[in-house]
Amino acid sequence: MLDFAGLGLWLNLAIFVGAAVAVWMAGVRITGYANAISEKTGVGQAFIGVVLLGGVTSLPEVTVGVTSSLSGDASLAVNSILGVIAMQVAILAFADMLIGRKALTSVIPDPVVMLQGGFKILLLSIVAASIVVGDVPVLFSGVWMWLLAAVTVFGMWVLSRTQRDRPWIANDEEVTPEKEEERARKAAESSKKKSLRDIGWATAACGAVIIVAGYLLSRSGDAIAGATGLGQSFIGAVLVAIATSLPEVSTVFSATRAGLYTMAMSDIFGTNLIDIFLLFIVDLTGGADAVMNGAGRFEAFAVLIAITVTAIFFIGLVERRDRTILKMGYDSFAVLCVYLSGLVVLYFLRDVSGGGG
């Protein structure tokens, strides 16, 4: 494996910036392809957000998690996964600012997003339990992680079968499901001439770019951060998380600008579901002991941040108060405050990580 630390600071910076640009451009294109696939197949934006956008934009986390775990650095994998989950929710707060006069949670017309958020909180609670109680390895993974995998599979099955009954009604005629579908059709106009097969290949090509660029981002970012003397836990939860979140930044911002608000939020929650499941993969490849036995207060607090910011948006989706501050909803503002305050606490906890910060 290439030693990025030996390449020098400036070369790593160049690799980091170049990979960031590649990831951003691929993410923007994938948003358009995902919308076109949704239109051509009749599959709802929420499910496309989970399966396609969530799956493809999770590729950097998959690469970092598996690579770190196989190289004996499972703690970096765990911290980067937990860090990215909270960070990606914070991305929604910035996307909220693009809407301007309306709060993001007041213009989501599809209640499936709340179902995604509920499953996410449930999975994070299982992770928190594994840290607090400890785990016992069974068949190459911890018992709690097997439960995590089972609930994830069940959640995906439920989401795939959920029909758009919409017992939860939008309070604004401009944010009805029909209006969002009309915006989606207009956004997909440029892809009408392309076949579903061509769009599929183009999506796969963008996914390949994200895998390679995401790997370069994480490795060069880790090398850059290593020169600062910060603990490994903090590096994984913040810098590597930022690097691997760039696909979500580009896809969420592109979807929001196009008025595809359900797809934007579903992308984040869908990516989060897949990211949490990655902890099971890390455990399978991380050695004989259950990987969560190496987690401590740092990791536990990172999970609490992720649960809290998700719960805040969940409350906003149910309450749907269309009030803004600094061009974002009150819930988005609260999410940013919680996340940034949480980073301060994580900085001081970095040296007491059970995983060896």
Side-chain angles (χ1 to χ4, degrees):
M1 185 180 296
L2 182 61
D3 180 15
F4 279 72
L7 297 179
L9 177 60
W10 289 107
L11 183 54
N12 273 304
L13 282 171
I15 293 173
F16 189 91
V17 173
V21 172
V23 166
W24 182 277
M25 294 177 64
V28 170
R29 288 185 174 275
I30 278 183
T31 304
Y33 296 146
N35 183 41
I37 291 173
S38 177
E39 284 297 307
K40 288 180 178 291
T41 62
V43 178
Q45 288 185 40
F47 189 65
I48 285 291
V50 172
V51 176
L52 183 59
L53 284 183
V56 173
T57 56
S58 289
L59 290 174
E61 288 88 346
V62 173
T63 305
V64 173
V66 174
T67 301
S68 299
S69 182
L70 288 174
S71 63
D73 204 2
S75 62
L76 175 62
V78 170
N79 286 309
S80 62
I81 290 170
L82 295 179
V84 83
I85 292 168
M87 180 169 293
Q88 287 169 353
V89 178
I91 290 171
L92 287 172
F94 288 106
D96 196 348
M97 298 177 69
L98 297 178
I99 301 175
R101 292 175 297 176
K102 292 180 178 290
L104 176 62
T105 49
S106 73
V107 293
I108 302 290
D110 197 332
V112 174
V113 174
M114 290 192 289
L115 184 60
Q116 296 168 0
F119 272 114
K120 177 187 168 184
I121 291 174
L122 177 59
L123 292 175
L124 287 171
S125 298
I126 294 174
V127 176
S130 70
I131 296 173
V132 174
V133 177
D135 213 347
V136 178
V138 175
L139 297 177
F140 308 107
S141 183
V143 172
W144 286 107
M145 292 300 99
W146 279 112
L147 176 61
L148 180 78
V151 174
T152 302
V153 172
F154 174 71
M156 291 298 185
W157 178 78
V158 171
L159 289 171
S160 70
R161 293 176 59 88
T162 300
Q163 301 299 315
R164 302 180 69 174
D165 299 330
R166 301 187 186 95
W168 171 75
I169 309 259
N171 60 7
D172 188 332
E173 63 180 11
E174 291 300 316
V175 298
T176 62
E178 292 72 24
K179 289 285 186 180
E180 190 167 52
E181 288 169 2
E182 182 181 341
R183 287 194 295 269
R185 283 193 294 272
K186 290 180 179 178
E189 286 291 330
S190 61
S191 299
K192 275 191 173 180
K193 296 180 180 179
K194 296 181 179 180
S195 68
L196 184 60
R197 180 179 178 181
D198 290 340
I199 295 173
W201 279 113
T203 303
C206 289
V209 170
I210 289 178
I211 288 177
V212 176
Y215 173 78
L216 294 175
L217 273 172
S218 63
R219 299 297 296 173
S220 58
D222 192 13
I224 293 168
T228 66
L230 290 172
Q232 185 189 69
S233 54
F234 189 75
I235 291 170
V238 180
L239 190 64
V240 176
I242 291 173
T244 56
S245 291
L246 285 174
E248 286 79 15
V249 175
S250 58
T251 54
V252 167
F253 281 24
S254 297
T256 304
R257 288 194 184 97
L260 307 177
Y261 307 123
T262 297
M263 184 176 287
M265 183 164 278
S266 187
D267 173 27
I268 292 299
F269 283 178
T271 302
N272 286 168
L273 292 176
I274 295 171
D275 288 342
I276 299 170
F277 176 75
L278 284 180
L279 290 173
F280 170 69
I281 305 299
V282 169
D283 203 0
L284 280 177
T285 57
D289 191 20
V291 72
M292 298 311 293
N293 285 338
R297 288 198 296 168
F298 182 96
E299 291 79 8
F301 192 77
V303 174
L304 290 177
I305 294 174
I307 291 175
T308 303
V309 293
T310 304
I312 291 172
F313 268 136
F314 199 104
I315 292 169
L317 284 166
V318 175
E319 197 266 348
R320 297 180 70 76
R321 184 178 297 275
D322 189 16
R323 293 184 180 178
T324 60
I325 178 173
L326 299 177
K327 293 186 177 181
M328 68 180 77
Y330 282 12
D331 46 8
S332 292
F333 181 74
V335 163
L336 280 183
C337 290
V338 169
Y339 177 69
L340 294 176
S341 300
L343 289 185
V344 175
V345 177
L346 287 177
Y347 177 80
F348 289 105
L349 287 175
R350 71 190 189 282
D351 293 325
V352 295
S353 168

